[in-house]
Amino acid sequence: MGKSRKPRRAQAALEAVVETVDGGLAQLIPDRDRARAWTLLIDGAPQSHVDLDDPAFLSFEYQRRLGHVIDLAAPPGKPLQAVHLGGGALTLARYLAATRPRSTQQVVERDAPLVQLVRRELPLAPGARIRVRSTDAREGLGKVPDGWADLVLADVFSGARTPAHLTSTEFLDEVRRALRPGGLYAANLADGPPLAHLRGQIATAAARFAELALVADPAVLRGKRFGNAVLVASDRPLPIAELTRRAASDPHPGRVEHGRQLTDFTGGAVPVTDAAAVASPAPPLSVFR
């Protein structure tokens, strides 16, 4: 049976916009505290938050941490060339456009009906130099010219899991090819105890990048609960001190691991290749309650 593409306004959800997209049931829920802000959910799982009046406002914890990476990627206000793997409601692309005008951005989001919904209900600011490709993240990355990107951000989930083909050394080879020398790669990772996926992703990144840092809630790092962690990688020294200060001052303080501590954290995990790659673990249902 085909999926209905016709959106409906749900009175019971305070004028939420509800529409079936390729990834499942998409809901745009209005934020009661901010006049023109919305939260995007896919099959009940929160994906993005957007404030159309203040695109520099980042509500989600992991998006704030990726925002710190954007802020520290270059001197304040300097335009960047950025690739976003995974679009959602285009929150981080809007953030970068607002904080670094004249930046040029490519967003790769496989779910074309989701892109249409977001563009219609949450339109981009006039003049935003954001191009959206509706294709697979790795396929779209492969079309980015060599050395084009100052920044590659990965935030790709299908059914709340990162697809296997976006977790390997071969995938990171494509990231490195697209990055200019000294460019930054940052990825939103999700895992819970015993953190085998997260440890493997750090080992995989360490096989391809000279400098790494990980930002996460201390409880996640201790394996106490399922949650997000932001991995940052580059071939140049990372701004560890400023990243640590910003993460610690967030509403939900995060901890930054790097150097020997991060190496020790991997616990002997080995790099993941395409042949052995699996999707990230599914979050427990309690995460979304």
Side-chain angles (χ1 to χ4, degrees):
M1 182 180 293
K3 296 178 179 178
S4 171
R5 302 297 187 199
K6 186 177 179 180
R8 60 185 175 86
R9 298 275 177 176
Q11 296 295 329
L14 299 178
E15 296 301 317
V17 182
V18 182
E19 183 170 338
T20 301
V21 297
D22 287 346
L25 187 68
Q27 296 173 281
L28 287 172
I29 308 296
D31 186 332
R32 295 186 181 189
D33 298 322
R34 304 178 76 90
R36 298 181 67 228
W38 300 78
T39 298
L40 169 67
L41 289 78
I42 304 291
D43 285 344
Q47 300 288 327
S48 305
H49 179 278
V50 169
D51 188 334
L52 295 177
D53 289 333
D54 183 9
F57 174 76
L58 298 176
S59 176
F60 287 8
E61 178 181 289
Y62 83 87
Q63 290 184 329
R64 286 180 62 88
R65 290 169 184 161
L66 288 170
H68 297 329
V69 176
I70 292 172
D71 292 344
L72 298 174
K78 180 181 178 181
L80 295 177
Q81 295 186 164
V83 177
H84 302 259
L85 304 178
L90 307 178
T91 303
L92 290 169
R94 298 172 200 266
Y95 177 85
L96 199 156
T99 58
R100 297 180 178 275
R102 303 183 308 283
S103 292
T104 303
Q105 303 184 69
Q106 297 186 38
V107 178
V108 185
E109 170 54 63
R110 184 172 188 167
D111 196 329
L114 175 61
V115 172
Q116 294 168 5
L117 169 66
V118 169
R119 281 187 175 277
R120 183 180 69 244
E121 301 292 340
L122 308 176
L124 292 167
R129 300 169 65 178
I130 300 171
R131 177 183 180 185
V132 183
R133 298 174 184 261
S134 294
T135 188
D136 172 77
R138 190 156 157 181
E139 181 179 337
L141 179 63
K143 296 179 180 178
V144 175
D146 292 1
W148 182 85
D150 298 298
L151 180 65
V152 173
L153 299 175
D155 183 18
V156 184
F157 288 86
S158 177
R161 304 176 71 184
T162 301
H165 69 298
L166 305 180
T167 68
S168 66
T169 51
E170 290 90 341
F171 165 67
L172 290 185
D173 286 337
E174 276 297 294
V175 171
R176 284 182 56 91
R177 180 198 59 76
L179 281 172
R180 67 167 178 79
L184 289 179
Y185 170 65
N188 176 33
L189 308 174
D191 199 8
L195 299 178
H197 173 72
L198 184 57
R199 298 180 204 277
Q201 288 304 285
I202 296 166
T204 304
R208 292 297 184 266
F209 290 95
E211 302 288 337
L212 301 180
L214 187 73
V215 192
D217 185 300
V220 173
L221 293 175
R222 290 195 299 268
K224 298 296 185 182
R225 69 171 180 86
F226 193 98
N228 297 86
V230 169
L231 177 65
V232 188
S234 182
D235 284 332
R236 64 174 169 91
L238 296 171
I240 298 296
E242 183 61 17
L243 184 61
T244 299
R245 186 191 70 78
R246 290 177 181 234
S249 63
D250 278 341
H252 300 282
R255 192 170 82 210
V256 176
E257 295 284 7
H258 65 100
R260 175 61 63 85
Q261 289 80 10
L262 188 55
T263 301
D264 291 345
F265 176 81
T266 63
V270 298
V272 176
T273 64
D274 275 346
V278 296
S280 66
L285 292 177
S286 59
V287 169
F288 305 124
R289 290 174 182 166

